[in-house]
Amino acid sequence: MAAPVKYLFETEFGQEAKRAAEPRIAVSEHQQLLAQARQEGYAAGVAAGEAKAMASIERQRALALGQLGDRLSVAAAALSDIEGRLEAEAIDIAVAVARKLSDALVAREPLDAVRDLVADCFANLRSAPHLVVRVNDDLLEDARTELTKLATERGFDGRLVILAEPAIALGDCRIEWSSGGIMLDREETARRIGEAVGRYIASTSGTPEALS
């Protein structure tokens, strides 16, 4: 007869039952879940990496745009400065050309401007008792002939006096009458034009300039 098995009170039958009741999965299913978890973790890592890369790209783009804006501002200022210099140079050239053209015209027809100014005086000073016209020495004889003829054509009844004055430049003149006078001085006119141009350039560029 077999000896009876002793009952061991330290044996916990409830723990065995609890382990028996725990859910169990097959190895293949466990591997599938593990692979899925790894895939999801990889996807999450990729998404995080892409987000970080995009943030870096956005920062770099913002920095590049800021630098580009600064460069454009510098370029715009430089362009404005260039435009100002070109405008000043263009005006300077125009004034220089006008002076040369004026000198050439005076050299070819030294009495033209004098004749025009005296004609205006005849038209506005018909009642003047006399009119004195001073010209350069070299123009005295031609001026007497031309202006005497012009006085007759314009109906000027006053006395016309034509005098030579060495200080007056060729092509200029000074006209005097009893109550006033006027002077044609191309050098003075050129100086005033230069001052006016200089003021204009200074007002547009912010720096004082003068054309001589």
Side-chain angles (χ1 to χ4, degrees):
M1 181 176 178
V5 179
K6 293 182 180 181
Y7 175 74
L8 301 176
F9 288 96
E10 66 273 12
T11 302
E12 297 179 4
F13 295 100
Q15 195 69 21
E16 293 291 338
K18 182 179 179 181
R19 280 197 295 270
E22 289 179 353
R24 298 183 179 183
I25 61 173
V27 174
S28 61
E29 185 178 356
H30 171 73
Q31 292 176 344
Q32 183 178 359
L33 292 174
L34 183 60
Q36 182 179 352
R38 288 176 177 171
Q39 185 176 3
E40 290 175 353
Y42 174 78
V46 170
E50 289 179 349
K52 185 177 181 180
M54 287 300 297
S56 177
I57 291 173
E58 288 297 328
R59 286 195 300 270
Q60 292 177 2
R61 186 172 70 172
L63 179 62
L65 288 175
Q67 292 175 344
L68 179 60
D70 293 341
R71 291 175 182 175
L72 287 176
S73 297
V74 172
L79 180 60
S80 178
D81 182 59
I82 291 172
E83 288 177 345
R85 291 202 304 270
L86 289 176
E87 181 180 13
E89 290 173 2
I91 293 174
D92 196 5
I93 291 172
V95 172
V97 170
R99 288 176 183 172
K100 288 186 177 298
L101 181 60
S102 175
D103 291 342
L105 291 175
V106 168
R108 190 176 68 182
E109 296 289 344
L111 273 177
D112 271 3
V114 175
R115 186 188 300 108
D116 292 341
L117 186 58
V118 171
D120 288 340
C121 291
F122 286 159
N124 294 283
L125 299 170
R126 292 183 183 278
S127 60
H130 69 273
L131 200 67
V132 178
V133 181
R134 301 179 186 273
V135 298
N136 181 271
D137 289 4
D138 293 340
L139 291 181
L140 180 60
E141 294 304 321
D142 290 340
R144 280 177 177 168
T145 302
E146 291 286 334
L147 298 182
T148 300
K149 178 181 177 182
L150 183 63
T152 302
E153 293 175 351
R154 299 300 173 92
F156 179 71
D157 297 329
R159 182 186 174 200
L160 177 63
V161 180
I162 302 173
L163 302 175
E165 190 167 320
I168 296 179
L170 189 69
D172 293 346
C173 70
R174 184 165 70 243
I175 304 173
E176 301 163 345
W177 56 91
S178 58
S179 59
I182 188 172
M183 184 169 184
L184 174 61
D185 187 337
R186 290 180 300 109
E187 192 63 32
E188 175 66 14
T189 301
R191 185 186 67 79
R192 292 187 180 184
I193 290 174
E195 290 177 352
V197 171
R199 288 193 297 270
Y200 170 75
I201 293 175
S203 69
T204 56
S205 65
T207 55
E209 289 188 42
L211 297 178
S212 58

